[in-house]
Amino acid sequence: MNPLRLLYLRWSVVLVAVMGLAALTAQHYRDHLAGFVPQEVTREAPAGDIRVAGMVQRGTVTGNARAGHAAFQLMGREASLPVVYEGPPQDNLRAFKTLVVIGAWDASAGVFRAREIGIVPNYGFVAGAYLVGLLPLALLVFAMSRRVNLLYEDMKTSALYQED
Amino acid sequence: MTIHRVIRGVQRYQGWVGGGAALCLLAGLYLGLLGSPPDYVQGEVVRIMYIHVPLAHTALLGYTVLAGGSVWYLWKRDPVVDNMCHAVAAISACFTALATATGMIWGKPTWDAWWTWDARLTSFAVLLLILLGYLMLRTMIDDPDKEARYAAVLAILGFVDLPIVHFSVEWWRTLHQPQSISLRGVSIASGMLAPLVLMSLGMSLLFSYMLMIRTQLLYLHRLLDAKKGRLLSRFHAPNADS
């Protein structure tokens, strides 16, 4: 097979594998991306399990998060949300910490009942780092490999080669 | 060592090295993005480690190869080694720049700053400047012998920065975290170690593959230039008309 065609074939296989991996990753994290901010929860009162992102308001944390039960206010830009947490022991619950709380809105009590607390995932930074780290390398390797193949072809076919 | 033997060897093994790099990187990416746990404190952002640390390791490995090759060149004056050093410098500069860029992206959500004049960051930026200086020097001197000699001396002098980069997190109080893997032991969860090792291995293989390609590229350029020169000298020789 022509070396240049072989090169394109190999890179197509790599590209398909990378796209497959990207699709798997997007599928895996899709649920984590859907979320609410505090003012949306109080305004829309969504049913079922949801994720709410916000900052823990200073001076509102009561109970013992390390023992797995606490209450606090989660601040958004326009409103704050009263949260009651019952779940695994937590070290991350402190004032000004940006968190994601997972649970359901209890409209009758007017509180968000959280059973899980996580750190804001910042997927934009992760995706950005992988793109910045891998894309230039891939482009550089492809361009160099292609150039080498073209130069070999040039050497074989050009009059310069015949002269020697 | 003749360049023809080197090129034949490179052509024989480059496919295996490239294939190995692709497999290790794909497996490392799969484990790093999907198979490893989030960090207790940093959360998902810790996944940047699987790209940033291997890039930085490979950049340091590249400079070590460059410094070793430069010593070898000054001792033996082997043009093949000089050709390899020239190829290594450009690739190392690329890895150093990308490690710096990914580190900056990691710094923003964890330190709330894209850049800080921390000892590790500063010494690593100096490494990038040394590599760029090396590449500039190689374009500024016409005499190939002098070019290779001066570049080798610069690369050896620049090697002083490597221990500073490596030990900066121990010598000074820095924002940058200390090493997780050292002779003293491994302080990282096994679920995180596997993708880190795979990505580091993949990056090292990719570096080797790029070195093989770039060595051929520089060799082919020089060969074509030499052939063009010979052809032109034949046309312009005093007895060309006879």
Side-chain angles (χ1 to χ4, degrees):
Chain A
M1 189 189 269
N2 180 334
L4 209 56
R5 272 194 192 166
L6 192 64
L7 177 79
Y8 290 147
L9 187 69
R10 282 175 180 166
W11 276 90
S12 305
V13 172
V14 171
L15 196 65
V16 167
V18 169
M19 283 170 71
L21 189 62
L24 268 177
T25 309
Q27 176 78 21
H28 184 77
Y29 291 108
R30 199 174 52 186
D31 293 343
H32 294 198
L33 291 173
F36 289 84
V37 288
Q39 56 268 28
E40 286 173 335
V41 178
T42 49
R43 197 171 54 226
E44 296 170 19
D49 262 14
I50 54 167
R51 302 167 65 86
V52 187
M55 188 188 279
V56 179
Q57 194 172 349
R58 193 177 68 164
T60 61
V61 182
T62 57
N64 186 0
R66 288 203 167 125
H69 51 86
F72 57 94
Q73 291 278 336
L74 195 70
M75 285 194 295
R77 281 192 182 166
E78 295 161 17
S80 61
L81 181 73
V83 179
V84 174
Y85 172 67
E86 290 286 341
Q90 274 292 331
D91 270 354
N92 284 315
L93 189 61
R94 54 181 181 270
F96 297 124
K97 180 84 179 172
T98 305
L99 296 171
V100 174
V101 290
I102 301 151
W105 171 245
D106 182 350
S108 57
V111 293
F112 186 83
R113 299 205 179 277
R115 55 178 166 70
E116 210 176 309
I117 292 178
I119 299 164
V120 172
N122 281 321
Y123 290 125
F125 287 106
V126 179
Y130 276 85
L131 277 178
V132 165
L134 291 175
L135 198 62
L137 275 182
L139 289 175
L140 185 66
V141 175
F142 176 72
M144 284 200 312
S145 309
R146 189 171 172 274
R147 179 88 184 121
V148 164
N149 276 294
L150 288 173
L151 278 175
Y152 275 127
E153 285 298 306
D154 199 24
M155 294 281 287
K156 277 181 198 163
T157 55
S158 73
L160 294 172
Y161 185 75
Q162 301 300 323
E163 284 295 327
D164 265 11
Chain B
M1 181 158 44
T2 66
I3 187 77
H4 301 291
R5 276 184 63 191
V6 172
I7 295 295
R8 266 206 303 277
V10 161
Q11 284 174 334
R12 185 178 304 160
Y13 296 112
Q14 72 175 25
W16 291 103
V17 175
L23 281 179
C24 284
L25 287 176
L26 284 170
L29 282 173
Y30 179 80
L31 286 180
L33 291 171
L34 300 168
S36 64
D39 183 64
Y40 186 62
V41 177
Q42 292 190 41
E44 303 289 348
V45 176
V46 79
R47 296 185 197 283
I48 296 177
M49 172 174 74
Y50 307 123
I51 184 79
H52 168 69
V53 174
L55 281 170
H57 278 170
T58 313
L60 297 181
L61 170 78
Y63 200 92
T64 309
V65 173
L66 173 63
S70 299
V71 171
W72 185 264
Y73 173 76
L74 286 183
W75 183 27
K76 297 281 185 185
R77 297 298 162 106
D78 187 342
V80 177
V81 176
D82 176 53
N83 191 50
M84 186 205 72
C85 286
H86 195 174
V88 165
I91 301 165
S92 293
C94 182
F95 274 85
T96 310
L98 293 178
T100 308
T102 51
M104 286 168 76
I105 296 173
W106 196 5
K108 184 60 184 165
T110 48
W111 304 336
D112 198 26
W114 295 102
W115 180 264
T116 172
W117 293 104
D118 175 274
R120 169 61 71 84
L121 274 67
T122 308
S123 54
F124 208 75
V126 169
L127 185 71
L128 179 60
L129 291 178
I130 293 169
L131 283 164
L132 294 177
Y134 178 96
L135 292 171
M136 277 172 68
L137 179 75
R138 297 214 68 134
T139 61
M140 287 163 70
I141 302 170
D142 289 333
D143 181 357
D145 237 24
K146 267 189 187 170
E147 176 200 319
R149 210 166 57 239
Y150 291 173
V153 170
L154 176 64
I156 293 164
L157 289 177
F159 189 70
V160 173
D161 192 43
L162 242 66
I164 300 176
V165 172
H166 187 74
F167 292 110
S168 55
V169 286
E170 292 180 14
W171 290 345
W172 294 286
R173 188 189 292 264
T174 61
L175 260 180
H176 198 285
Q177 69 165 67
Q179 296 158 52
S180 304
I181 303 165
S182 68
L183 292 174
R184 288 190 295 271
V186 177
S187 58
I188 186 170
S190 57
M192 294 176 167
L193 186 64
L196 191 61
V197 168
L198 271 174
M199 286 295 282
S200 290
L201 184 64
M203 283 293 175
S204 303
L205 285 171
L206 182 67
F207 177 87
S208 310
Y209 180 71
M210 288 171 80
L211 178 59
M212 289 170 153
I213 300 286
R214 180 125 182 104
T215 303
Q216 287 179 81
L217 202 58
L218 290 175
Y219 163 70
L220 287 170
H221 273 299
R222 283 184 184 172
L223 200 63
L224 274 171
D225 285 347
K227 282 176 183 293
K228 273 179 194 162
R230 278 205 294 280
L231 193 66
L232 283 173
S233 65
R234 230 173 266 179
F235 282 129
H236 294 290
N239 57 350
D241 295 333
S242 60

